[in-house]
Amino acid sequence: MKIKLFILLAFVSLGNLLAQSLQSPSEYLGYEIGSRFTRHHKVVEYFTYVSNTLSNVKLEKYGETNEHRPLYVTYISSQENINNLEAIRKANLSQTGILEGNQENKKAIVWLSYNVHGNEASSTEASMLTLYELVTTKKAWLENTVVIMDPCINPDGRDRYVNWYNQVKSTPFNISQDAKEHHEPWPGGRPNHYLFDLNRDWAWATQAESQQRIKIYNKWMPHIHVDFHEQGINSPYYFAPAAEPFHEIISDWQRNFQTQIGKNHAKYFDAEGWLYFTKESFDLLYPSYGDTYPTFMGAIGMTYEQAGHGKAGLGIKTDEGEVLTLKDRAIHHMTTGLSTVEISSKNAEQLNTEFKKFFENDDLEYKSFVVKNDNQDKINRLKVLLDKHEIKYVNAKDGSVKGYVYSTQEESKLDVNSKDLVINTNQPKGKMVKVLFEPKAKLSDSLTYDITAWSIPYAHGFEAIASKNEVASTEKNENFSIDNKINTTAYAYISKWNSLNDATFLAELLQNNIVPRFSEKPFTLNGNNFERGSLIILRNDNRNKSFDDTLIKIADKNFRQLTSVSTGFVDKGLDFGSYSVKPINKQKVAVLSGEGTSSLSFGEIWHFFETELKYPLTILDSDYISRVDFSNFDVIILPNGYYSRVLNKSTLDKLKSWVQSGGTLIAIDNALRSFADKKEFALKRKKSENEEEKEPNLTPYANLERERAVNLIAGAIFKSKVDTTHPLGFGYNNEYFTLKRSSSAYDYLNNGYNVAYLPSETTNISGFAGKNVLEKLPETLLFGEERKGRGSIVYMVDNPLFRSFWDNGKLFFVNAVFLLNSDVLK
């Protein structure tokens, strides 16, 4: 026993000696933190150095970015805790019900996430300072606390910003707001490689960084999660508690402990005279943030915001005449990070007690959500999303379910069968299920930081029902097999068209020089019914020896069931030689990027083509768009943006001539402004009565922000009508639920096709929309086509690719690319 004690004391003494000899970040890097920006690989080097030096620090690689930068987390705790790390993890998960055993855990688990926005770069500098302080001066807090640090969530964005800044900065740095080093060029360092905002991707997990981070997050399910950010240069520091609205599932404990944390931070900020604010601006409603997602998973999720952002550089003079430096910013973030660990350590036992309570889901209003399986491809895509979050699902039993029906927004009944999916709230992540599937999120305040509606049945295009009773179910395993066989005597092969998987199949066919056609009319052949848009792959169009073999391989790879037929003479409808059966050519597609373009909207298109559609895309830049030979392309896409300077009269005339020659121009969101109310285009902006009659503004100053809400729309869902006979609407039902994020409204096209539109009785079915917006939106365009000569302009008022999570809108976009004017000879 004495020998063991001696060895333990010797080991502790050695650990203390190593900690005392550990180099600080400044000593290791050779410069003071805050005197320059540290590139990502050097940050990784420092964390590696610490983990190699100290046995109570463990570094783990959990992934890689699109640009092949590594993603790491570091575990910091006492030596005993690190030795028992896996046992602590499992004990914690058993408290949630994710693992069996209901073990007791007394360790607080605190996760600190840095630099989700690449140009909010001070937090990664702070991560190194925080690590050093924890293992040297704050070791006592680690006795009952496991700290998990992700020093840089977005390395691609960070290095984009840091590399640019290092290229343009003055020496010494220039504090003038007019200096070049304070004006990032498009697209800036905020987003990741595909220009997505990773702070809005937690729930949807569309990006590589999010997908890999969610896996390891779900392995741990921490009690505290902090997301470190930066805001405008003139803002005081922001920390918890958050602003209203809080989502209703957030517990009283989660609310109250945020306040305790905030008061602990305030103690340190007060001592230094640093300004800060709480309870303003940053709410806890939208589920895809780095504070809300962890909160809905039982943690105390928080955002900390330091003044700075990409504008601040190494130092900048604020409007108040103060000089804000990178060193200041890093120290502020270090202070709140350490304060978070401190308060968590002091409350470790209660954190565990209340964390365990969060996973008791008996009091949730809805016990089950049933999603109708009218489209197996869509069901499979939903399963992929649920699997990312380790949310369980089962199949329904044949019968009838009573509850809230999403399509009608009424209490009613819905017939269900064993193919339909049931997601119960009686599971560890039941509260997250409620948040993601609830028909309407309860709003305690209409002024929010982001969208107020996101319900998955609407986003994915499902008929669904929310039941207050647990729906009878079975864990039936569906085995879906594809049985494609080569038929060398086939006149044609036919494939359906009603999902994004069909679009991916089409894209691969075109890439392999197989020419498909699509039918503009429904038809029946050999007793099988085929809807509009069905792909018809004729042998006559594909006269090469490997045709059958290549086609079957592509179909099998994409899980597409082909129907081979021996004739083009149909039982009902029009024969395959009809003009209504049109060829789909290998479209040459371009998209505009650069100044004037929304980097987020451009990124959504770029990401969609490269990762989902897997079809080539040429990226053009607004700097030289006027010099581009448009005849090199069949389709040109204008993302959301403001193009008054880019699309001047000569460039617009050039585009118009190209369209008349057979091109397809797709304009999204604010790009429509370049065409609205111009005599040569059919698009007309709808004006409300309030715009026509301006009244004196006598609103008291204190009420002004809230009064302006009548003109706002905070991401609300509306039901639209769809003309399913138009190629743009192929694959859809006659109703489509759209997410409106803008009050912009356009009249029905008098000279064109109104493919999707908001009818006269329209209103928001979920989410907030102001009174004036609701008055303006009835009888307005959603998606439409204006024909010009041999080509067309597609107007997309709402963005169908928004954040890549509104899955049901994506086929509209594909239809615009491939089914319009594809048969026009260029």
Side-chain angles (χ1 to χ4, degrees):
M1 184 67 182
K2 290 181 179 180
I3 294 174
K4 288 183 179 179
L5 181 60
F6 174 78
I7 293 173
L8 178 61
L9 290 174
F11 193 75
V12 171
S13 298
L14 178 61
N16 289 333
L17 184 63
L18 289 172
Q20 289 169 8
S21 63
L22 185 76
Q23 289 184 306
S24 69
S26 297
E27 290 169 335
Y28 180 84
L29 296 169
Y31 55 85
E32 185 181 10
I33 292 293
S35 63
R36 69 171 78 165
F37 286 107
T38 308
R39 292 183 65 194
H40 179 255
H41 75 279
K42 298 297 290 184
V43 177
V44 171
E45 281 184 20
Y46 183 70
F47 272 78
T48 303
Y49 156 71
V50 175
S51 68
N52 288 340
T53 304
L54 301 179
S55 56
N56 66 318
V57 178
K58 180 182 177 182
L59 187 67
E60 179 182 352
K61 181 180 178 182
Y62 70 86
E64 189 175 272
T65 69
N66 290 292
E67 296 176 16
H68 309 296
R69 293 180 176 88
L71 296 165
Y72 285 96
V73 290
T74 298
Y75 305 96
I76 309 107
S77 195
S78 68
Q79 188 62 58
E80 181 182 2
N81 291 339
I82 290 295
N83 292 344
N84 295 300
L85 201 59
E86 183 63 5
I88 293 171
R89 184 186 74 82
K90 288 182 176 179
N92 184 56
L93 288 187
S94 75
Q95 296 184 121
T96 70
I98 293 172
L99 293 183
E100 295 181 358
N102 194 24
Q103 300 176 49
E104 186 179 42
N105 179 49
K106 293 185 177 180
K107 312 298 180 186
I109 301 173
V110 179
W111 189 306
L112 306 177
S113 290
Y114 299 88
N115 224 154
V116 65
H117 293 144
N119 61 0
E120 298 176 12
S122 69
S123 68
T124 288
E125 309 295 336
S127 73
M128 294 184 284
L129 295 174
T130 306
L131 171 65
Y132 180 74
E133 290 299 317
L134 283 174
V135 297
T136 55
T137 67
K138 309 299 182 185
K139 289 184 290 184
W141 298 344
L142 302 177
E143 292 299 319
N144 66 346
T145 307
V146 175
V147 179
I148 305 173
M149 296 179 68
D150 187 334
C152 189
I153 289 179
N154 182 9
D156 291 351
R158 177 183 173 82
D159 272 3
R160 185 188 310 126
Y161 170 72
V162 171
N163 290 339
W164 164 79
Y165 184 81
N166 288 340
Q167 290 171 5
V168 303
K169 80 172 188 71
S170 301
T171 303
F173 59 82
N174 193 320
I175 64 172
S176 169
Q177 292 185 25
D178 296 323
K180 183 175 182 177
E181 62 196 75
H182 302 304
H183 295 270
E184 273 186 279
W186 190 96
R190 178 184 177 89
N192 75 338
H193 170 78
Y194 281 112
L195 307 187
F196 271 66
D197 184 336
L198 294 179
N199 189 41
R200 287 161 172 81
D201 192 49
W202 279 74
W204 318 128
T206 68
Q207 300 303 293
E209 297 91 341
S210 306
Q211 292 162 11
Q212 295 167 109
R213 184 177 66 255
I214 290 296
K215 282 183 181 179
I216 193 167
Y217 187 93
N218 279 303
K219 282 179 62 178
W220 276 96
M221 297 288 284
H223 309 139
I224 303 283
H225 181 269
V226 179
D227 214 14
F228 290 87
H229 288 262
E230 289 187 78
Q231 53 188 327
I233 62 171
N234 297 305
S235 299
Y237 198 102
Y238 165 81
F239 49 71
E244 290 287 351
F246 280 65
H247 194 281
E248 62 179 314
I249 69 155
I250 298 174
S251 69
D252 291 341
W253 156 257
Q254 287 174 310
R255 285 174 173 259
N256 294 336
F257 197 64
Q258 278 206 357
T259 301
Q260 287 188 53
I261 291 172
K263 287 181 177 179
N264 205 59
H265 297 346
K267 174 180 66 178
Y268 293 105
F269 275 58
D270 290 344
E272 297 292 340
W274 298 335
L275 292 178
Y276 57 89
F277 68 100
T278 66
K279 303 180 288 293
E280 294 182 74
S281 301
F282 305 103
D283 59 73
L284 290 174
L285 183 71
Y286 174 62
S288 205
Y289 282 132
D291 54 7
T292 51
Y293 180 90
T295 299
F296 302 157
M297 290 289 200
I300 311 296
M302 295 172 292
T303 289
Y304 296 168
E305 295 269 357
Q306 162 63 46
H309 212 273
K311 189 177 179 66
L314 292 180
I316 193 169
K317 192 173 185 178
T318 70
D319 290 353
E320 294 183 354
E322 299 286 338
V323 176
L324 175 66
T325 67
L326 178 60
K327 181 179 178 181
D328 296 332
R329 293 147 60 197
I331 289 174
H332 295 165
H333 269 330
M334 179 193 72
T335 302
T336 53
L338 292 173
S339 173
T340 302
V341 177
E342 177 190 32
I343 192 72
S344 301
S345 176
K346 290 178 178 178
N347 293 273
E349 186 172 347
Q350 191 172 10
L351 274 171
N352 278 280
T353 299
E354 297 295 337
F355 180 71
K356 184 177 181 179
K357 287 181 183 177
F358 182 88
F359 295 92
E360 298 170 357
N361 299 320
D362 297 338
D363 59 343
L364 295 177
E365 178 184 11
Y366 293 118
K367 307 301 182 185
S368 296
F369 298 93
V370 185
V371 174
K372 289 291 296 175
N373 185 357
D374 297 323
N375 186 315
Q376 187 62 49
D377 290 339
K378 289 184 178 182
I379 286 288
N380 291 341
R381 289 176 67 83
L382 174 59
K383 286 180 176 180
V384 169
L385 176 61
L386 297 177
D387 288 343
K388 288 176 182 177
H389 303 295
E390 300 178 11
I391 290 173
K392 299 174 184 177
Y393 47 84
V394 289
N395 290 96
K397 287 185 177 179
D398 293 354
S400 179
V401 174
K402 183 179 179 181
Y404 181 92
V405 178
Y406 285 69
S407 61
T408 62
Q409 299 89 56
E410 294 177 350
E411 294 290 328
S412 185
K413 289 184 178 180
L414 195 66
D415 291 334
V416 300
N417 59 56
S418 60
K419 291 183 179 180
D420 301 330
L421 214 61
V422 179
I423 305 95
N424 292 317
T425 56
N426 184 24
Q427 61 172 301
K429 296 178 181 176
K431 287 190 171 71
M432 180 58 86
V433 169
K434 175 214 168 18
V435 172
L436 295 179
F437 283 85
E438 62 188 342
K440 297 181 181 181
K442 183 179 179 181
L443 279 173
S444 61
D445 195 322
S446 58
L447 297 179
T448 65
Y449 197 66
D450 211 284
I451 63 175
T452 55
W454 53 80
S455 183
I456 282 178
Y458 294 127
H460 282 245
F462 289 116
E463 177 61 283
I465 188 168
S467 175
K468 294 180 181 179
N469 300 309
E470 187 164 318
V471 172
S473 61
T474 176
E475 293 191 14
K476 174 184 175 183
N477 291 319
E478 298 283 353
N479 293 316
F480 302 98
S481 59
I482 299 298
D483 185 27
N484 287 314
K485 292 182 174 62
I486 291 176
N487 183 357
T488 55
T489 63
Y491 182 82
Y493 294 88
I494 307 171
S495 184
K496 70 176 184 65
W497 184 262
N498 63 5
S499 77
L500 189 56
N501 302 69
D502 298 322
T504 305
F505 171 57
L506 169 63
E508 190 164 353
L509 291 179
L510 295 173
Q511 288 287 81
N512 283 271
N513 299 313
I514 292 177
V515 178
R517 294 177 182 248
F518 73 97
S519 175
E520 287 192 320
K521 307 289 184 182
F523 64 92
T524 302
L525 182 57
N526 296 338
N528 296 315
N529 297 320
F530 298 94
E531 298 297 327
R532 290 180 171 89
S534 295
L535 299 179
I536 302 170
I537 305 145
L538 295 168
R539 184 174 301 281
N540 187 60
D541 289 334
N542 298 278
R543 293 181 173 274
N544 61 74
K545 293 181 180 180
S546 62
F547 163 62
D548 296 273
D549 185 59
T550 302
L551 173 61
I552 297 301
K553 284 182 179 178
I554 295 172
D556 288 347
K557 175 185 173 184
N558 289 276
F559 298 97
R560 300 300 88 189
Q561 182 63 59
L562 301 178
T563 301
S564 63
V565 295
S566 59
T567 179
F569 191 102
V570 303
D571 302 332
K572 292 181 181 178
L574 298 175
D575 298 327
F576 290 176
S578 166
Y579 179 70
S580 69
V581 180
K582 295 183 176 181
I584 303 175
N585 294 322
K586 194 174 181 179
Q587 298 285 71
K588 291 173 287 185
V589 186
V591 61
L592 187 62
S593 68
E595 290 296 333
T597 306
S598 161
S599 61
L600 295 173
S601 180
F602 161 73
E604 289 156 359
I605 296 164
W606 182 24
H607 176 263
F608 178 73
F609 272 88
E610 288 198 355
T611 70
E612 294 198 78
L613 202 56
K614 295 181 174 62
Y615 192 81
L617 178 72
T618 300
I619 298 172
L620 307 176
D621 196 278
S622 57
D623 282 349
Y624 57 80
I625 186 67
S626 62
R627 304 192 298 275
V628 170
D629 183 354
F630 296 149
S631 66
N632 291 327
F633 306 102
D634 304 306
V635 179
I636 296 175
I637 305 164
L638 300 179
N640 179 27
Y642 297 91
Y643 299 116
S644 57
R645 294 183 181 179
V646 176
L647 297 182
N648 53 37
K649 187 177 186 307
S650 62
T651 305
L652 210 54
D653 287 344
K654 186 178 171 183
L655 270 175
K656 181 178 153 188
S657 297
W658 168 78
V659 169
Q660 290 171 329
S661 299
T664 301
L665 182 65
I666 303 172
I668 300 173
D669 204 339
N670 283 316
L672 274 66
R673 295 186 179 191
S674 295
F675 307 94
D677 301 324
K678 294 182 179 177
K679 63 180 181 180
E680 60 264 51
F681 301 105
L683 189 68
K684 305 299 177 188
R685 192 168 72 92
K686 183 175 181 178
K687 296 181 180 180
S688 64
E689 293 181 5
N690 298 59
E691 289 178 280
E692 300 289 349
E693 300 177 11
K694 293 288 185 182
E695 296 182 2
N697 181 15
L698 301 178
T699 304
Y701 177 79
N703 300 339
L704 196 58
E705 183 181 20
R706 196 157 297 281
E707 286 296 320
R708 285 173 178 164
V710 299
N711 297 309
L712 298 178
I713 182 167
I717 298 172
F718 288 75
K719 183 195 288 190
S720 70
K721 298 290 186 182
V722 179
D723 176 4
T724 60
T725 69
H726 188 283
L728 200 59
F730 285 177
Y732 284 92
N733 299 319
N734 58 10
E735 291 179 343
Y736 169 74
F737 293 92
T738 187
L739 180 68
K740 292 204 72 67
R741 299 163 35 252
S742 168
S743 60
S744 297
Y746 299 88
D747 289 324
Y748 293 158
L749 297 174
N750 287 327
N751 183 22
Y753 302 99
N754 299 288
V755 182
Y757 55 91
L758 299 179
S760 59
E761 69 276 9
T762 195
T763 188
N764 53 324
I765 64 170
S766 179
F768 174 77
K771 174 177 172 290
N772 291 348
V773 177
L774 291 174
E775 290 176 355
K776 187 165 65 170
L777 287 178
E779 298 185 6
T780 57
L781 179 69
L782 183 57
F783 303 135
E785 181 197 20
E786 178 184 357
R787 298 291 304 177
K788 280 199 170 297
R790 299 162 64 208
S792 57
I793 303 175
V794 177
Y795 299 117
M796 293 189 153
V797 180
D798 293 348
N799 180 3
L801 302 182
F802 178 63
R803 292 181 187 166
S804 194
F805 95 92
W806 203 260
D807 225 47
N808 198 36
K810 294 175 181 176
L811 196 60
F812 279 115
F813 185 78
V814 174
N815 288 344
V817 172
F818 290 110
L819 303 191
L820 301 182
N821 311 310
S822 181
D823 59 329
V824 175
L825 295 176
K826 303 295 195 293

